[in-house]
Amino acid sequence: MDRFIIDGGRRLKGAIKVSGSKNAALPILIATLLTDETCVVENVPSTLRDLRTTFRLLESLGKRVVVKGSTVRVLSTGSLKTQAPYEIVKQMRASVLAAGPLLARFGLVRVPIPGGCAIGLRPIDIHLKGFEIMGARRIADQGDIILSAPRLRPAAIALRFPSVGATQNLMMAAAATPGRTTIGNAAREPEMGDLGKFLEQLGAKVHGAGTAKVTIEGKAKLGGARHKVIPDRIEAGTFLLACAATRGRVKLVGAEAAHLGAVLSALKKAGAKIRSGKGWIELAMERRPKAVSIVTKPYPGFPTDLQAPWMALMTTCTGFAKVVETVFENRFLHAAELGRMGAQIAVSGRAAVVAGQERLSGAPIMASDIRAGAALLVAGLAAKGRTTIARVYHIDRGYEEIERKLSRAGARLARQK
Ligand code: UD1
């Protein structure tokens, strides 16, 4: 299993190119199940493990996927299957997003219930409730859920929590259901807006994607599309935090500042100098960060996916920073690993208090999920001495060519096979 070896303590400097958004690309590619026409999706971080899993999912359901660099063509090969294989769903929970398009088109879908994961239980009750409101019946069988409805009907759905996945699943189901469906208390992440644009390209009418109320006028038959995925705000945010932690200066190319409001404002409070323009963000950090407390919230709040890297940055702040996680129930696994590097973090339930140190020192540590892995990278780059990160496959799920991108910006980071 691969490991990263980092010689820390070097300032990041120069330019880093941001990839297309993983979390926008996944639902958009799955939305190609809504049509038999060819779809071309550009700016896809196609080398990521989660994307490879998505290609396999689409192929197992009967699509043909042709990948050329970051451009992905999804073609029809005849009829689609309506059963998602467990072997794929257990590797990537986002596979449950296939349920919406398949149920709406074929009136029947069988998906394995995804298990929990390191950061929490992650149920799918909000997705299922939405399908029920649209007229689906469900039965559980052998660890799978079977959803059926001769025809879904348009409906007014109010989510009990603005779940990202449930909003996407229901948007896709609504796009292939003739009539007007509204989703209230919808997730507002920029990835919703991107999916909305794609669904419009396919021929649905979409209003308010990326706001708390989405309205979709679906059609029984949807066409093909060509679409360019938005930049990855979480990858961009991770680079900004890594740069701040190493007290460096970098320019992110291909990044969208408007998608990172809460993070940029916290970074400014911590003492970073930030400038941005169309398609770029520049950050310079000259001294130890000031303590800035954060609470994770659904967008436009501080993203849970940057909570762990934020904590890594705060390990060297002046003072005490409180980090509260409200989105997932068990997302502090990185705290103990950071402790091995000398960080002082007290965790109690969903809150952690970080007492800033002058510097962390390198240590052998282990990633437990994608973003915990990103936090360890941030810490390792900033720490004095050598850090070895095990279970790098978690990081590979979400960060494309990360060692190449960071090395170009002056980091000493190597992959050991
Ligand atoms: C997506 C992102 C993930 C991010 C998360 C929150 C993708 C592929 N993944 O995950 O990176 O961390 O949004 O921004 O885009 N919940 C329920 N019932 C449900 C659905 C969700 O209780 O039916 C709970 C979850 O357990 C979790 C919270 O709601 O505690 C947020 O989940 P959700 O917004 O659905 O996140 P994902 O779509 O899984």
Side-chain angles (χ1 to χ4, degrees):
M1 273 197 286
D2 294 10
R3 298 192 302 168
F4 278 152
I5 317 279
I6 308 172
D7 275 321
R10 300 168 65 86
R11 291 173 199 271
L12 288 187
K13 54 182 189 304
I16 307 183
K17 171 108 181 55
V18 174
S19 293
S21 162
K22 166 180 89 76
N23 286 354
L26 296 184
I28 286 171
L29 286 165
I30 291 175
T32 62
L33 294 170
L34 288 164
T35 177
D36 288 330
E37 304 293 323
T38 300
C39 296
V40 181
V41 188
E42 294 165 4
N43 204 28
V44 175
S46 59
T47 58
L48 289 182
R49 211 154 62 90
D50 276 8
L51 265 301
R52 304 249 164 227
T53 309
T54 307
F55 303 153
R56 279 206 293 131
L57 173 71
L58 292 175
E59 282 178 339
S60 74
L61 292 169
K63 288 283 192 186
R64 190 154 82 86
V65 180
V66 182
V67 183
K68 208 169 178 191
S70 61
T71 301
V72 179
R73 294 169 72 86
V74 185
L75 305 104
S76 156
T77 62
S79 58
L80 288 173
K81 297 201 184 83
T82 54
Q83 184 166 348
Y86 177 56
E87 179 254 322
I88 294 182
V89 178
K90 75 174 187 225
Q91 278 181 36
M92 190 184 69
R93 312 184 75 266
S95 309
V96 296
L97 295 180
L102 294 175
L103 173 63
R105 277 191 79 186
F106 304 110
L108 180 71
V109 69
R110 181 175 187 128
V111 275
I113 303 169
C117 68
I119 62 175
L121 288 170
R122 304 185 78 172
I124 54 165
D125 58 298
I126 306 174
H127 306 229
L128 298 178
K129 184 83 198 284
F131 294 139
E132 276 175 5
I133 296 171
M134 294 180 82
R137 283 160 44 90
R138 80 167 129 126
I139 46 173
D141 177 48
Q142 295 279 313
D144 293 350
I145 284 201
I146 302 168
L147 292 162
S148 63
R151 187 173 291 160
L152 283 186
R153 50 174 187 262
I157 306 166
L159 308 186
R160 72 165 169 83
F161 176 87
S163 154
V164 167
T167 304
Q168 293 166 335
N169 225 338
L170 295 169
M171 281 172 70
M172 291 190 277
T177 303
R180 174 182 297 193
T181 293
T182 57
I183 308 169
N185 196 25
R188 289 183 282 164
E189 275 72 2
E191 292 76 23
M192 303 314 119
D194 213 27
L195 175 62
K197 281 194 187 141
F198 185 73
L199 296 178
E200 287 215 305
Q201 287 260 325
L202 294 179
K205 280 203 185 128
V206 181
H207 263 288
T211 72
K213 185 175 172 196
V214 194
T215 306
I216 296 186
E217 303 232 10
K219 271 196 189 160
K221 198 167 168 56
L222 295 166
R226 177 179 275 274
H227 179 81
K228 184 173 176 197
V229 173
I230 54 170
D232 197 312
R233 64 194 168 95
I234 304 300
E235 185 202 26
T238 304
F239 290 141
L240 292 175
L241 298 181
C243 175
T246 64
R247 300 184 205 156
R249 172 187 290 270
V250 295
K251 182 170 185 174
L252 300 187
V253 182
E256 178 59 67
H259 295 167
L260 280 160
V263 180
L264 296 183
S265 120
L267 273 165
K268 282 182 193 157
K269 284 189 203 147
K273 295 207 173 71
I274 296 173
R275 296 190 316 135
S276 62
K278 198 170 176 337
W280 60 271
I281 307 175
E282 197 172 63
L283 178 142
M285 186 82 173
E286 271 142 24
R287 54 186 96 85
R288 256 176 91 177
K290 286 183 220 151
V292 179
S293 297
I294 55 132
V295 181
T296 65
K297 295 256 175 72
Y299 192 84
F302 194 98
T304 171
D305 286 348
L306 288 173
Q307 175 262 109
W310 184 263
M311 191 184 283
L313 173 66
M314 286 294 110
T315 58
T316 60
C317 72
T318 52
F320 296 87
K322 189 170 179 187
V323 172
V324 180
E325 173 60 61
T326 72
V327 179
F328 288 104
E329 61 266 29
N330 185 28
R331 212 175 194 182
F332 284 141
L333 293 173
H334 46 283
E337 298 299 301
L338 293 172
R340 290 176 46 78
M341 303 176 76
Q344 292 197 17
I345 304 168
V347 175
S348 165
R350 290 188 171 212
V353 176
V354 187
Q357 309 290 301
E358 179 67 39
R359 240 189 205 306
L360 296 185
S361 56
I365 46 179
M366 192 160 39
S368 55
D369 68 81
I370 308 183
R371 310 304 172 184
L376 303 186
L377 257 181
V378 169
L381 292 170
K384 195 163 174 289
R386 170 167 292 203
T387 293
T388 311
I389 305 181
R391 303 204 176 159
V392 162
Y393 58 86
H394 287 298
I395 301 176
D396 290 337
R397 286 187 64 182
Y399 295 89
E400 202 173 42
E401 300 192 320
I402 185 129
E403 64 265 41
R404 194 176 61 79
K405 290 190 185 190
L406 289 170
S407 302
R408 279 200 179 161
R412 288 245 172 96
L413 167 66
R415 182 183 291 260
Q416 192 181 60
K417 296 263 180 198

